[in-house]
Amino acid sequence: MPAVRVDGIEVAYDRVGQGPPLVLAHSAIADARLFRPQTEDLADEFTVVAWDEPGAGRSSDVPASFTLADYGRCLAAVIEDVGLGPAHVLGASWGGTVVLELYRHHAELVRTLLLVDTYAGWKGSLPAAEVRSRAEGAERMLAVPAEAFAPTLPGLFAGQPPAQAVRLLSVMSADTRPRSMRTQLTAMVEADQRDLLPKIEVPTLLLWGELDARSPVEPVAHQFLGAIPRATLVVLPGIGHLSNLEAPEPFNRTVREFCQAHS
């Protein structure tokens, strides 16, 4: 298991395959395992790197003072540790917000951006009432006793999710750390990255599930499309928020074709 240390925090990641680097940043209540369908399929052509963000999976806990910029700095350290130059960088949901912050501070490490069912922070993409509702729901979830803590997010799939995906999410949910989740959600609630979007200069793929209820195509994906100069939007029909698990074949094909075109 490769790992890099950043200010005393150990950040673990998986690395498979050979070729141009493709770095994957997972969503909330998840870790590198979220991308198993991608690492298994895309490693024939790319060096696929899936991190456990600080506070998740095999990586160290984060202090309460940890910020969105700190997550971005740690992801930059992973890309530098891989040592293959600028990477295709994909972020799903919360991971996309982290990837945007990486680009803000370390654009030289990014060959392309792949933003999947994501947000320019909740504050930057959602109505104020929805942000308040999600923040209150997170507080209720985090307020339960430790033995009863079972994090969930509604609306992750459009239809009946694949059984394998349900099992994987259950395992990752059981491994979620309440303190790390609070730090993560605090960053997400406060983030507003709309100022960054017009400044993105690299080719950008916006990959969305048509029926994403958590980050709807309209208005969120179209917000990105209108603001990022070199953005392309691909919508996967009939698919929800966790599009990489719900529809791995068209998801992987779209990612592969985009990265091939810009490698």
Side-chain angles (χ1 to χ4, degrees), residues 81-260:
D81 195 56
V82 171
L84 295 177
H88 303 291
V89 187
L90 181 153
S93 191
W94 148 255
T97 305
V98 173
V99 163
L100 285 171
E101 201 65 15
L102 164 76
Y103 185 85
R104 182 190 296 278
H105 299 288
H106 303 279
E108 74 282 358
L109 297 177
V110 179
R111 180 187 299 271
T112 67
L113 287 173
L114 299 89
L115 304 176
V116 178
D117 298 285
T118 190
Y119 315 88
W122 281 354
K123 186 177 180 181
S125 290
L126 300 174
E130 176 65 14
V131 175
R132 287 195 299 271
S133 175
R134 293 190 184 194
E136 291 166 359
E139 284 300 324
R140 288 193 297 270
M141 183 168 55
L142 289 163
V144 301
E147 62 273 12
F149 181 67
T152 58
L153 293 173
L156 295 180
F157 297 101
Q160 184 65 33
Q164 186 176 0
V166 173
R167 288 192 296 270
L168 179 59
L169 288 175
S170 177
V171 170
M172 290 189 295
S173 175
D175 290 340
T176 299
R177 308 169 210 170
R179 188 175 69 178
S180 295
M181 186 176 176
R182 179 181 295 279
T183 303
Q184 178 190 73
L185 288 170
T186 298
M188 192 60 156
V189 167
E190 296 174 352
D192 184 348
Q193 299 165 315
R194 284 175 290 183
D195 68 301
L196 173 64
L197 304 184
K199 303 173 186 175
I200 295 174
E201 298 180 350
V202 298
T204 301
L205 173 67
L206 310 172
L207 183 51
W208 244 260
E210 178 192 21
L211 303 181
D212 186 343
R214 293 198 59 81
S215 178
V217 174
E218 180 59 52
V220 182
H222 286 109
Q223 169 201 37
F224 283 101
L225 184 63
I228 298 175
R230 300 176 65 186
T232 301
L233 174 63
V234 175
V235 177
L236 299 177
I239 301 304
H241 187 63
L242 287 184
S243 52
N244 75 298
L245 292 183
E246 193 168 1
E249 291 184 6
F251 183 98
N252 294 350
R253 182 172 61 251
T254 304
V255 169
R256 183 186 296 274
E257 292 173 354
F258 178 81
C259 293
Q260 285 174 336

Side-chain angles (χ1 to χ4, degrees), residues 23-38:
V23 175
L24 310 176
H26 57 79
S27 60
I29 315 179
D31 52 50
R33 291 173 289 183
L34 181 77
F35 290 115
R36 279 180 179 170
Q38 285 67 57

